[in-house]
């Protein structure tokens, strides 16, 4: 099984996150609580594994108690499988912030002057649908929601990685790194899991297939993953060197867009330029009307997900109002995600609001990364056009 750590968000095949081996210390001097490893399959949560109390205690009747708990947990897995679509999946996608809130009650019910969190209402929906086990085991709801989120991320990852499946493992890695950069540092194990899950085998990788049913058995040893991380670092280094060499050879100041050009744009020019940026990055782009846009400047979509973008070409910091406009536009147009893009910076309160509402913020530093990618694609296209011209000229001279 593969897991995602709730602390560092990285993926691994280990029941304890190998990236977080040195647990942080809290201000009180006590070790911080251990990060939770979220499995792609909820049956791999520790609660669902048989925990022996010792041979004698098991022999003297504790097995019956464990059997009753196992029956209860099996019912949880069965009902989760039945309700995963549409209830869990739709709840996760429509209410992004699903953490436990102070107002949550252990037993969901109406109460005097009560305010109810989305998660608390969701639990009651499930109980009324027959998921009564959550009354006895309320803590499992949070874990099942985490698994739902991990499954959603894996689905999106699978769609993206499918485009990079080549003949050899190194070709797959090179293609993925060339497009996605250093995301392999977080997702390399997920890539290996995808290959195993889709029965795509390479001689360099020997999987422990029994890991699909044996709790605690990693699909790949951690040392194997580390070895291939080193390979990825070398591939990434080579790609960066070649890109710089190409940039030095084909650099044309008239073709490049710098942040100074962006700063000189007016609002309408900035929106048009962002449309070009996202089109170059492979998104489908749809502009909005110049007025009455309900807080939306652009719509971009990729892999079936639609995102609304609020563009702010400012000289000062961008505040809460831009984030609020993006939140409103996301709801009004029924988009999956919302983003605010600026050539400036965001205030602290805007950042806090965006984090709470799951709005993506692209400030000056992040926009520079988009510009670098945009300029790199210009270089690569220029080089391809040049090669085509050279080939045409060669064919003309040789009579091909």
């Amino acid at each position: 099984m593969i897991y995602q750590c709730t602390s560092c968000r990285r993926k691994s095949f280990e029941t304890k996150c190998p990236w977080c081996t040195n647990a942080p210390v809290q201000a009180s001097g006590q070790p911080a609580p251990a990060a939770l490893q979220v499995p792609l399959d909820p049956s791999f949560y520790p609660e669902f594994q048989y925990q022996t109390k010792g041979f004698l205690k098991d022999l003297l009747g504790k097995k019956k108690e464990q059997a009753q708990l196992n029956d209860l947990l099996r019912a949880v897995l069965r009902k989760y499988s039945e309700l995963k679509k549409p209830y869990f999946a739709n709840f996760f996608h429509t209410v992004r912030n699903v953490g436990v809130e102070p107002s949550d009650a252990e037993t969901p019910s109406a109460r005097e002057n009560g305010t109810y969190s989305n998660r608390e209402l969701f639990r009651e929906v499930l109980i009324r649908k027959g998921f009564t086990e959550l009354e006895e085991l309320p803590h499992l709801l949070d874990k099942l929601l985490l698994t739902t989120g991990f499954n959603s991320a894996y689905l999106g990852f699978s769609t993206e990685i499918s485009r990079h499946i080549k003949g050899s493992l190194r070709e797959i890695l090179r293609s993925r790194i060339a497009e996605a950069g250093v995301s392999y540092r977080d997702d390399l194990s997920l890539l290996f899991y995808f290959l195993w899950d889709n029965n795509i085998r390479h001689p360099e990788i020997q999987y422990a297939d029994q890991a699909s049913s044996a709790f605690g058995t990693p699909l790949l040893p951690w040392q194997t993953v580390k070895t291939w991380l080193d390979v990825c670092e070398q591939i990434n280094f080579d790609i960066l060197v070649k890109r710089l060499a190409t940039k030095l050879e084909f650099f044309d100041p008239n073709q490049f867009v710098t942040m100074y050009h962006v700063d000189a744009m007016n609002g309408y020019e900035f929106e048009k330029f962002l449309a070009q940026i996202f089109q170059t990055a492979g998104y489908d782009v749809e502009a909005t009307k110049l007025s009455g846009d309900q807080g939306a400047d652009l719509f971009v979509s990729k892999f079936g997900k639609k995102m609304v973008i609020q563009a702010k070409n400012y000289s000062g910091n961008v505040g809460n109002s831009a984030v609020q406009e993006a939140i409103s536009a996301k709801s009004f147009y029924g988009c999956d995600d919302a983003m605010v893009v600026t050539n400036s910076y965001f205030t602290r309160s805007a950042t806090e609001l965006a984090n709470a509402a799951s709005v993506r913020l692209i400030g000056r530093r992040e926009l520079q990364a988009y510009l670098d990618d945009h300029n790199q694609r210009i270089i690569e296209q220029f080089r391809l056009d040049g090669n085509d011209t050279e080939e045409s000229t060669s064919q003309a001279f040789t009579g091909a």
Side-chain angles (χ1 to χ4, degrees):
M1 183 42 52
I2 189 164
Y3 301 86
Q4 177 173 270
C5 176
T6 55
S7 176
C8 69
R9 310 294 294 174
R10 292 183 173 183
K11 291 81 176 175
S12 72
F13 300 113
E14 310 296 322
T15 55
K16 291 185 178 179
C17 179
W19 307 97
C20 301
T21 49
N22 298 319
V25 176
Q26 302 182 96
S28 62
Q30 297 297 319
L36 177 66
Q37 289 285 80
V38 178
L40 197 64
D41 180 345
S43 67
F44 278 77
Y45 276 118
E47 290 93 329
F48 293 91
Q49 310 305 315
Y50 174 69
Q51 303 292 328
T52 181
K53 295 179 173 63
F55 176 75
L56 286 177
K57 289 185 177 180
D58 285 349
L59 193 64
L60 293 173
K62 295 296 183 182
K63 279 190 176 179
K64 182 178 180 181
E65 175 188 321
Q66 184 65 44
Q68 292 173 340
L69 179 59
N70 286 346
D71 288 342
L72 181 66
L73 293 174
R74 275 193 292 270
V76 168
L77 292 176
R78 177 178 58 79
K79 290 181 178 178
Y80 173 70
S81 178
E82 293 170 353
L83 297 171
K84 184 177 178 182
K85 294 181 180 179
Y87 288 93
F88 277 88
N90 285 352
F91 179 74
F92 178 82
H93 285 294
T94 56
V95 185
R96 292 289 182 172
N97 186 15
V98 295
V100 180
E101 298 181 17
S103 60
D104 284 2
E106 280 295 320
T107 304
S109 61
R111 52 186 180 269
E112 186 177 354
N113 298 324
T115 55
Y116 310 101
S117 69
N118 286 314
R119 177 188 165 280
E120 191 176 7
L121 295 173
F122 179 57
R123 181 161 49 131
E124 180 64 16
V125 168
L126 296 176
I127 291 172
R128 294 187 184 190
K129 286 290 177 182
F131 210 145
T132 53
E133 290 78 8
L134 292 180
E135 291 181 294
E136 188 173 344
L137 300 168
H139 67 286
L140 285 179
L141 176 58
D142 298 306
K143 294 186 176 180
L144 294 176
L145 282 169
L146 287 169
T147 288
T148 304
F150 191 13
N151 273 271
S152 174
Y154 177 59
L155 182 63
F157 178 84
S158 299
T159 302
E160 291 188 31
I161 206 66
S162 296
R163 297 181 293 108
H164 300 285
I165 300 304
K166 310 290 182 181
S168 72
L169 181 56
R170 286 177 181 266
E171 286 177 310
I172 292 172
L173 294 172
R174 180 172 292 279
S175 176
R176 173 66 176 171
I177 293 169
E179 179 180 279
V182 297
S183 63
Y184 62 82
R185 294 173 185 166
D186 296 338
D187 296 335
L188 182 59
S189 292
L190 200 60
L191 186 150
F192 287 141
Y193 181 85
F194 172 85
L195 297 177
W196 173 83
D197 191 34
N198 289 273
N199 200 31
I200 302 171
R201 298 291 188 262
H202 295 279
E204 306 97 319
I205 301 294
Q206 300 299 317
Y207 296 102
D209 290 320
Q210 68 272 24
S212 61
S213 58
F215 179 78
T217 301
L219 190 62
L220 285 175
W222 174 236
Q223 188 55 49
T224 298
V225 177
K226 288 180 65 179
T227 297
W228 282 95
L229 276 170
D230 291 339
V231 172
C232 289
E233 293 293 350
Q234 184 60 53
I235 291 173
N236 183 52
F237 178 74
D238 291 342
I239 288 172
L240 294 176
V241 170
K242 289 178 181 178
R243 283 181 173 175
L244 178 58
T246 302
K247 185 179 291 185
L248 294 174
E249 182 176 357
F250 292 101
F251 180 79
D252 180 358
N254 297 321
Q255 291 282 340
F256 272 54
V257 180
T258 69
M259 193 61 75
Y260 300 107
H261 292 130
V262 174
D263 291 340
M265 295 176 182
N266 60 35
Y268 179 59
E269 290 170 337
F270 186 52
E271 290 177 23
K272 286 183 62 178
F273 177 64
L274 288 182
Q276 184 182 353
I277 286 281
F278 280 94
Q279 283 174 334
T280 304
Y283 286 83
D284 293 325
V285 178
E286 175 189 350
T288 64
K289 296 179 295 183
L290 293 181
S291 61
D293 56 19
Q294 300 295 334
D297 292 322
L298 291 173
F299 298 108
V300 301
S301 56
K302 196 175 186 180
F303 307 127
K305 288 192 173 183
K306 186 175 183 179
M307 179 166 62
V308 60
I309 296 177
Q310 175 69 213
K312 296 295 181 185
N313 193 354
Y314 279 10
S315 57
N317 291 345
V318 178
N320 275 15
S321 60
V323 180
Q324 290 166 346
E325 289 175 355
I327 296 170
S328 298
K330 176 185 174 183
S331 175
F332 185 83
Y333 292 105
C335 295
D336 298 291
D337 293 301
M339 175 188 285
V340 182
V341 184
T342 182
N343 62 319
S344 186
Y345 302 94
F346 293 95
T347 63
R348 181 175 178 177
S349 60
T351 302
E352 291 173 349
L353 177 60
N355 289 338
S358 297
V359 173
R360 297 172 61 185
L361 299 184
I362 302 297
R364 192 175 184 87
R365 184 180 296 108
E366 294 81 11
L367 183 58
Q368 181 63 60
Y370 276 83
L371 289 181
D372 291 342
D373 288 343
H374 177 72
N375 289 331
Q376 182 62 38
R377 289 186 176 94
I378 291 176
I379 290 173
E380 291 171 355
Q381 187 58 50
F382 182 80
R383 183 179 60 179
L384 288 173
D385 293 343
N387 288 341
D388 290 343
T389 301
E390 290 175 7
E391 185 176 337
S392 299
T393 304
S394 175
Q395 290 175 350
F397 275 110
T398 58

